[in-house]
Amino acid sequence: MNFEILISALEAAGKRALESFKVRNDNLFLGIKTPYLEEKSPRELLIREDIMCQKILIDTILSDQPNAKIYSEESNNLKELETDNSPLKFIIDPLDGTHNFYFGVPYWGLSIGILDERNYSIGGVIYLPCMGMLLKNEGKDKPSMIKLKEGWQKVSTVPRELNKALICYDNQFHKFESEASSIYKRLTKEAFTTRITGSAVSDAALIATGRVNARIWNNTMSYDIAAAISIVKGAGGQVSGFNGENINVMEPKVLMSSDKVVHSSLLNLISNK
């Protein structure tokens, strides 16, 4: 896989998105209404930057691999992913944190994940333009890296006990059953502090670089975690389902953590042991 193509795709899309984000923020300061394309489902906005970034990413990948299998949040093909046993495919989140972007909150990112025939993550790239963070993992047993002025450098998670840890959690509680609220209530009592940020790929990037210690998803989508799984694991982190099982990107209940100790503590908390 030519990771330089994936990186250039994310950088190009991220640059365009950041320019647009700044324009939107200027408009917010001036009291100019910021538009969106549609509310694709209740409390779920689609904005033009979602489509713009998707086009840049897909076009760049296809310029290098014309026959590539590509899935994306804003495409209509995600229902086909579960039965697709192609040996290599891409899954894109063209703008993760759309609502943050729309409301002028600089916590959003873009990602490209690479999947095998069983939909396990085998590599990925995440870009957070507002933070200037570009991360990659080129495959199993390879370290996750961050692009700095000096070149690519390894990143690693930072282990912490749960009572010293910062844990991120799902937003949009209206979509979940009561158990999600119950887990969060227990989490606020046990963790040092919590955050509900609204951007899955951003949380994963911050786990991989030692800022955050975990993220809990009660009902996530494949594109939210495809790149994140490889990048967190490649930085020394842990990824599993709520029962501690190994997962592919089709699993909706996901726990990503910085280390085995906090991961075990969170699994116990989730199961209310």
Side-chain angles (χ1 to χ4, degrees):
M1 178 59 228
N2 185 351
F3 270 81
E4 291 305 312
I5 291 293
L6 302 186
I7 291 163
S8 65
L10 281 185
E11 288 180 322
K15 180 181 178 181
R16 290 281 303 279
L18 188 57
E19 291 169 352
S20 183
F21 181 72
K22 291 176 179 177
V23 171
R24 280 180 176 268
N25 273 353
D26 288 345
N27 288 341
L28 285 171
F29 293 139
L30 296 172
I32 300 172
K33 185 178 180 180
T34 56
Y36 60 87
L37 296 179
E38 63 174 310
E39 189 170 357
K40 58 185 181 181
S41 60
R43 302 190 222 180
E44 194 73 40
L45 299 182
L46 176 70
I47 61 177
R48 65 181 180 83
E49 289 85 356
D50 286 306
I51 304 303
M52 175 187 74
C53 290
Q54 177 174 268
K55 183 176 185 340
I56 293 171
L57 297 178
I58 291 176
D59 286 352
T60 305
I61 293 171
L62 291 177
S63 72
D64 181 65
Q65 296 191 41
N67 298 318
K69 296 294 293 284
I70 304 174
Y71 294 88
S72 177
E73 178 182 5
E74 308 306 340
S75 296
N76 295 319
N77 61 355
L78 281 169
K79 60 183 178 296
E80 303 168 14
L81 178 60
E82 189 167 9
T83 57
D84 184 349
N85 59 3
S86 302
L88 181 70
K89 51 216 166 193
F90 302 92
I91 183 164
I92 293 170
D93 199 340
L95 184 56
D96 181 71
T98 294
H99 294 169
N100 287 344
F101 192 104
Y102 177 77
F103 286 105
V105 178
Y107 200 80
W108 48 271
L110 308 83
S111 71
I112 303 173
I114 305 171
L115 308 179
D116 67 10
E117 68 278 2
R118 297 183 297 158
N119 290 325
Y120 283 92
S121 176
I122 55 173
V125 187
I126 289 175
Y127 185 31
L128 311 183
C130 289
M131 299 184 195
M133 292 177 60
L134 179 60
L135 299 169
K136 69 174 180 177
N137 179 272
E138 296 190 3
K140 186 178 179 181
D141 300 324
K142 292 187 177 180
S144 293
M145 314 282 283
I146 188 169
K147 188 177 182 181
L148 303 175
K149 291 181 180 178
E150 299 80 12
W152 290 96
Q153 303 289 331
K154 292 181 182 179
V155 294
S156 62
T157 62
V158 173
R160 295 187 184 95
E161 300 283 346
L162 183 55
N163 62 1
K164 300 293 184 182
L166 190 160
I167 311 298
C168 291
Y169 203 75
D170 272 317
N171 59 331
Q172 297 183 316
F173 279 82
H174 66 281
K175 293 182 177 180
F176 308 134
E177 297 178 357
S178 60
E179 180 59 18
S181 297
S182 177
I183 292 171
Y184 189 61
K185 184 177 181 179
R186 296 196 295 273
L187 180 64
T188 59
K189 293 179 180 179
E190 299 295 331
F192 180 79
T193 190
T194 64
R195 296 290 185 273
I196 298 176
T197 67
S199 174
V201 301
S202 300
D203 289 347
L206 296 192
I207 294 171
T209 53
R211 277 80 160 176
V212 171
N213 288 98
R215 165 74 188 245
I216 298 171
W217 287 270
N218 288 278
N219 188 16
T220 193
M221 299 296 292
S222 52
Y223 46 79
D224 286 327
I225 58 173
I229 290 175
S230 288
I231 286 175
V232 168
K233 284 185 174 180
Q238 304 286 307
V239 181
S240 79
F242 278 10
N243 295 311
E245 73 276 25
N246 188 33
I247 58 171
N248 67 12
V249 302
M250 306 309 298
E251 173 57 45
K253 295 181 180 295
V254 178
L255 172 62
M256 291 188 186
S257 304
S258 57
D259 60 277
K260 291 181 179 179
V261 172
V262 76
H263 200 84
S264 177
S265 296
L266 288 169
L267 287 174
N268 288 334
L269 183 147
I270 288 168
S271 62
N272 202 17
K273 291 182 180 179

Coordinates of all heavy atoms in Angstrom, one line a residue, residues 202-257:
S202 N -10.4 12.1 16.6 CA -9.6 13.0 17.4 C -9.3 12.3 18.8 O -8.1 12.4 19.2 CB -10.3 14.3 17.6 OG -10.6 15.0 16.4
D203 N -10.3 11.7 19.4 CA -10.0 11.0 20.6 C -9.0 9.9 20.5 O -8.1 9.8 21.3 CB -11.3 10.4 21.2 CG -12.3 11.5 21.7 OD1 -11.9 12.6 21.8 OD2 -13.5 11.1 21.9
A204 N -9.1 9.1 19.4 CA -8.1 8.1 19.1 C -6.7 8.6 19.0 O -5.7 8.1 19.5 CB -8.5 7.3 17.9
A205 N -6.6 9.7 18.2 CA -5.3 10.3 18.0 C -4.7 10.8 19.3 O -3.5 10.7 19.6 CB -5.4 11.5 17.1
L206 N -5.5 11.3 20.2 CA -5.0 11.8 21.5 C -4.7 10.6 22.5 O -3.8 10.8 23.3 CB -6.0 12.7 22.1 CG -6.2 14.0 21.4 CD1 -7.0 15.0 22.3 CD2 -4.9 14.7 20.9
I207 N -5.3 9.5 22.3 CA -4.9 8.3 23.1 C -3.5 7.9 22.6 O -2.6 7.6 23.4 CB -5.9 7.1 22.9 CG1 -7.3 7.5 23.5 CG2 -5.4 5.8 23.5 CD1 -8.4 6.5 23.2
A208 N -3.4 7.8 21.3 CA -2.1 7.3 20.7 C -0.9 8.2 21.0 O 0.2 7.7 21.1 CB -2.2 7.2 19.2
T209 N -1.2 9.5 21.3 CA -0.1 10.4 21.6 C 0.0 10.8 23.1 O 0.7 11.7 23.5 CB -0.2 11.7 20.8 OG1 -1.6 12.2 21.0 CG2 0.0 11.4 19.3
G210 N -0.7 10.0 23.9 CA -0.5 10.1 25.4 C -1.3 11.2 26.1 O -1.1 11.4 27.3
R211 N -2.2 11.9 25.4 CA -3.0 12.9 26.0 C -4.2 12.3 26.8 O -4.5 12.8 27.9 CB -3.6 13.9 25.0 CG -2.6 15.0 24.6 CD -1.6 14.6 23.6 NE -1.0 15.7 22.9 CZ -0.1 15.7 22.0 NH1 0.5 14.5 21.7 NH2 0.4 16.8 21.4
V212 N -4.9 11.4 26.1 CA -6.1 10.8 26.7 C -5.9 9.4 27.0 O -5.0 8.7 26.3 CB -7.3 11.0 25.6 CG1 -8.5 10.2 26.0 CG2 -7.6 12.4 25.4
N213 N -6.6 8.8 27.9 CA -6.3 7.4 28.3 C -7.3 6.4 27.7 O -7.0 5.2 27.7 CB -6.3 7.2 29.8 CG -5.0 7.9 30.4 OD1 -5.0 9.0 30.8 ND2 -3.9 7.2 30.3
A214 N -8.5 6.8 27.3 CA -9.4 5.8 26.8 C -10.6 6.6 26.1 O -10.9 7.8 26.4 CB -10.0 4.9 27.8
R215 N -11.3 5.8 25.2 CA -12.5 6.3 24.7 C -13.5 5.1 24.7 O -13.1 4.0 24.3 CB -12.3 6.8 23.2 CG -13.6 6.9 22.4 CD -14.5 8.1 22.8 NE -15.8 8.1 22.1 CZ -16.2 8.9 21.2 NH1 -15.4 9.9 20.8 NH2 -17.4 8.8 20.6
I216 N -14.7 5.3 25.1 CA -15.8 4.3 25.1 C -16.8 4.7 24.1 O -17.3 5.8 24.1 CB -16.4 4.2 26.5 CG1 -15.3 3.8 27.6 CG2 -17.6 3.2 26.5 CD1 -15.8 3.9 29.0
W217 N -17.2 3.7 23.2 CA -18.3 3.8 22.3 C -19.4 2.8 22.6 O -19.1 1.6 22.6 CB -17.8 3.6 20.8 CG -16.9 4.6 20.2 CD1 -17.3 5.7 19.5 CD2 -15.5 4.6 20.2 NE1 -16.2 6.3 19.0 CE2 -15.1 5.7 19.4 CE3 -14.5 3.8 20.7 CZ2 -13.7 6.0 19.2 CZ3 -13.2 4.1 20.5 CH2 -12.8 5.2 19.8
N218 N -20.6 3.3 22.8 CA -21.7 2.4 23.0 C -22.3 1.9 21.7 O -23.0 0.9 21.7 CB -22.7 3.1 23.9 CG -22.3 3.2 25.3 OD1 -22.4 2.3 26.1 ND2 -21.8 4.4 25.6
N219 N -22.2 2.7 20.7 CA -22.8 2.3 19.4 C -22.1 3.0 18.3 O -22.6 4.0 17.7 CB -24.3 2.6 19.4 CG -25.0 2.0 18.2 OD1 -24.4 1.2 17.4 ND2 -26.2 2.5 17.9
T220 N -20.9 2.6 17.9 CA -20.1 3.3 16.9 C -20.3 2.7 15.5 O -20.9 1.7 15.3 CB -18.6 3.3 17.3 OG1 -18.0 4.3 16.4 CG2 -18.0 2.0 17.1
M221 N -19.8 3.4 14.5 CA -19.8 3.0 13.1 C -18.4 2.6 12.7 O -17.4 3.0 13.2 CB -20.4 4.1 12.2 CG -21.8 4.5 12.6 SD -23.0 3.2 12.4 CE -23.0 3.0 10.6
S222 N -18.4 1.8 11.6 CA -17.1 1.2 11.1 C -16.1 2.3 10.8 O -14.9 2.2 11.0 CB -17.4 0.3 9.9 OG -18.2 1.0 9.0
Y223 N -16.6 3.4 10.1 CA -15.7 4.4 9.7 C -15.1 5.2 10.9 O -14.1 5.9 10.7 CB -16.4 5.4 8.7 CG -17.8 5.9 9.1 CD1 -17.9 6.9 10.1 CD2 -18.9 5.3 8.6 CE1 -19.2 7.3 10.5 CE2 -20.2 5.7 9.0 CZ -20.3 6.7 9.9 OH -21.6 7.1 10.3
D224 N -15.8 5.2 12.0 CA -15.3 5.9 13.2 C -14.0 5.3 13.8 O -13.1 6.0 14.3 CB -16.3 6.0 14.3 CG -17.4 7.0 14.0 OD1 -17.2 8.0 13.4 OD2 -18.6 6.7 14.4
I225 N -13.9 4.0 13.6 CA -12.8 3.2 14.3 C -11.8 2.6 13.4 O -10.8 2.0 13.9 CB -13.4 2.2 15.3 CG1 -14.3 1.2 14.5 CG2 -14.2 2.9 16.4 CD1 -14.8 0.0 15.4
A226 N -12.1 2.6 12.1 CA -11.2 1.8 11.1 C -9.8 2.2 11.2 O -8.9 1.3 11.3 CB -11.8 2.0 9.7
A227 N -9.4 3.4 11.1 CA -8.0 3.9 11.2 C -7.6 3.9 12.7 O -6.4 3.5 13.0 CB -7.9 5.2 10.6
A228 N -8.5 4.2 13.6 CA -8.2 4.4 15.0 C -7.6 3.1 15.6 O -6.7 3.1 16.4 CB -9.4 4.9 15.7
I229 N -8.2 1.9 15.2 CA -7.8 0.7 15.8 C -6.3 0.4 15.6 O -5.6 0.1 16.6 CB -8.6 -0.5 15.3 CG1 -10.1 -0.4 15.8 CG2 -8.0 -1.9 15.7 CD1 -11.0 -1.5 15.2
S230 N -5.9 0.5 14.4 CA -4.4 0.3 14.1 C -3.5 1.3 14.8 O -2.5 1.0 15.3 CB -4.2 0.3 12.6 OG -4.8 -0.9 12.0
I231 N -4.0 2.6 14.7 CA -3.1 3.6 15.3 C -3.0 3.5 16.8 O -1.9 3.7 17.3 CB -3.6 5.0 14.8 CG1 -3.3 5.2 13.3 CG2 -3.1 6.1 15.7 CD1 -3.9 6.4 12.7
V232 N -4.1 3.2 17.5 CA -4.0 3.1 18.9 C -3.2 1.8 19.3 O -2.3 1.9 20.2 CB -5.4 3.0 19.5 CG1 -5.3 2.5 21.0 CG2 -6.1 4.4 19.5
K233 N -3.4 0.7 18.6 CA -2.6 -0.5 18.9 C -1.1 -0.3 18.6 O -0.3 -0.7 19.3 CB -3.2 -1.7 18.1 CG -4.4 -2.3 18.6 CD -4.8 -3.5 17.8 CE -6.0 -4.2 18.4 NZ -6.4 -5.4 17.6
G234 N -0.8 0.4 17.5 CA 0.5 0.6 17.1 C 1.3 1.5 18.0 O 2.5 1.6 18.0
A235 N 0.5 2.3 18.9 CA 1.1 3.2 19.9 C 1.2 2.5 21.2 O 1.7 3.1 22.2 CB 0.3 4.5 20.0
G236 N 0.9 1.2 21.3 CA 0.9 0.5 22.5 C -0.4 0.4 23.3 O -0.4 -0.1 24.4
G237 N -1.4 0.8 22.7 CA -2.7 0.8 23.4 C -3.5 -0.5 23.2 O -3.0 -1.4 22.5
Q238 N -4.6 -0.6 23.8 CA -5.5 -1.7 23.8 C -6.8 -1.4 23.1 O -7.4 -0.3 23.3 CB -5.8 -2.2 25.2 CG -4.6 -2.5 26.1 CD -3.9 -3.8 25.7 OE1 -4.5 -4.8 25.6 NE2 -2.6 -3.7 25.4
V239 N -7.4 -2.4 22.4 CA -8.7 -2.2 21.7 C -9.5 -3.5 21.9 O -8.9 -4.6 21.6 CB -8.5 -1.9 20.2 CG1 -9.9 -1.7 19.6 CG2 -7.7 -0.6 20.0
S240 N -10.7 -3.4 22.3 CA -11.5 -4.6 22.4 C -13.0 -4.2 22.4 O -13.4 -3.0 22.4 CB -11.2 -5.3 23.7 OG -11.9 -4.7 24.8
G241 N -13.9 -5.2 22.4 CA -15.3 -5.1 22.6 C -15.5 -5.0 24.1 O -14.6 -5.0 24.9
F242 N -16.8 -4.8 24.5 CA -17.1 -4.6 25.9 C -16.8 -5.9 26.8 O -16.8 -5.8 28.0 CB -18.6 -4.2 26.1 CG -18.8 -2.7 25.8 CD1 -17.8 -1.9 25.3 CD2 -20.0 -2.2 26.2 CE1 -18.0 -0.6 25.1 CE2 -20.2 -0.8 25.9 CZ -19.2 0.0 25.4
N243 N -16.6 -7.0 26.1 CA -16.3 -8.2 26.9 C -14.8 -8.6 26.8 O -14.4 -9.7 27.2 CB -17.1 -9.4 26.3 CG -18.6 -9.2 26.6 OD1 -19.0 -8.9 27.7 ND2 -19.4 -9.4 25.6
G244 N -14.0 -7.7 26.3 CA -12.6 -7.9 26.1 C -12.2 -8.6 24.9 O -11.0 -9.0 24.7
E245 N -13.1 -8.9 24.0 CA -12.8 -9.7 22.8 C -12.1 -8.9 21.7 O -12.3 -7.7 21.6 CB -14.1 -10.3 22.3 CG -15.1 -9.4 21.6 CD -16.0 -8.6 22.5 OE1 -15.6 -8.4 23.7 OE2 -17.1 -8.2 22.1
N246 N -11.4 -9.6 20.9 CA -10.8 -9.0 19.7 C -11.9 -8.6 18.7 O -12.9 -9.4 18.5 CB -9.8 -9.9 19.0 CG -9.0 -9.3 17.9 OD1 -8.7 -8.1 18.0 ND2 -8.7 -10.1 16.9
I247 N -11.8 -7.5 18.0 CA -12.9 -7.0 17.2 C -12.4 -6.6 15.8 O -11.3 -6.2 15.7 CB -13.7 -5.9 17.9 CG1 -12.7 -4.7 18.2 CG2 -14.4 -6.3 19.1 CD1 -13.4 -3.4 18.6
N248 N -13.4 -6.6 14.9 CA -13.2 -5.9 13.6 C -14.0 -4.6 13.6 O -14.6 -4.3 14.7 CB -13.5 -6.8 12.4 CG -15.0 -7.2 12.3 OD1 -15.8 -6.6 13.0 ND2 -15.2 -8.2 11.5
V249 N -14.1 -4.0 12.5 CA -14.7 -2.6 12.5 C -16.2 -2.7 12.5 O -16.9 -1.7 12.6 CB -14.3 -1.8 11.3 CG1 -12.8 -1.6 11.3 CG2 -14.7 -2.4 10.0
M250 N -16.8 -3.9 12.5 CA -18.3 -4.0 12.5 C -18.8 -4.1 13.9 O -20.0 -4.0 14.1 CB -18.7 -5.3 11.7 CG -18.1 -5.4 10.3 SD -18.4 -4.0 9.3 CE -20.2 -3.9 9.3
E251 N -18.0 -4.2 14.9 CA -18.4 -4.2 16.3 C -18.8 -2.8 16.8 O -18.0 -1.9 16.7 CB -17.3 -4.7 17.2 CG -17.6 -4.6 18.7 CD -18.9 -5.4 19.1 OE1 -19.1 -6.5 18.6 OE2 -19.6 -4.8 19.9
P252 N -20.1 -2.6 17.2 CA -20.5 -1.3 17.6 C -20.1 -0.8 19.0 O -20.0 0.3 19.3 CB -22.0 -1.4 17.6 CG -22.3 -2.8 17.8 CD -21.2 -3.6 17.2
K253 N -19.9 -1.8 19.9 CA -19.5 -1.5 21.3 C -18.0 -1.7 21.5 O -17.5 -2.8 21.4 CB -20.2 -2.4 22.3 CG -21.7 -2.2 22.3 CD -22.4 -3.0 23.3 CE -23.9 -2.8 23.3 NZ -24.3 -1.5 23.7
V254 N -17.3 -0.5 21.6 CA -15.8 -0.6 21.5 C -15.2 0.2 22.7 O -15.7 1.3 23.1 CB -15.4 0.1 20.2 CG1 -13.8 0.1 20.0 CG2 -16.0 -0.7 19.0
L255 N -14.1 -0.3 23.1 CA -13.2 0.3 24.2 C -11.8 0.4 23.6 O -11.2 -0.6 23.3 CB -13.3 -0.5 25.5 CG -12.3 0.0 26.6 CD1 -12.6 1.4 27.0 CD2 -12.4 -1.0 27.8
M256 N -11.3 1.6 23.6 CA -9.8 1.8 23.3 C -9.2 2.5 24.5 O -9.7 3.4 25.1 CB -9.7 2.8 22.1 CG -10.1 2.2 20.8 SD -9.7 3.3 19.4 CE -10.5 2.4 18.0
S257 N -8.0 1.9 24.9 CA -7.4 2.4 26.1 C -5.9 2.5 25.9 O -5.3 1.9 24.9 CB -7.6 1.5 27.3 OG -9.0 1.3 27.5

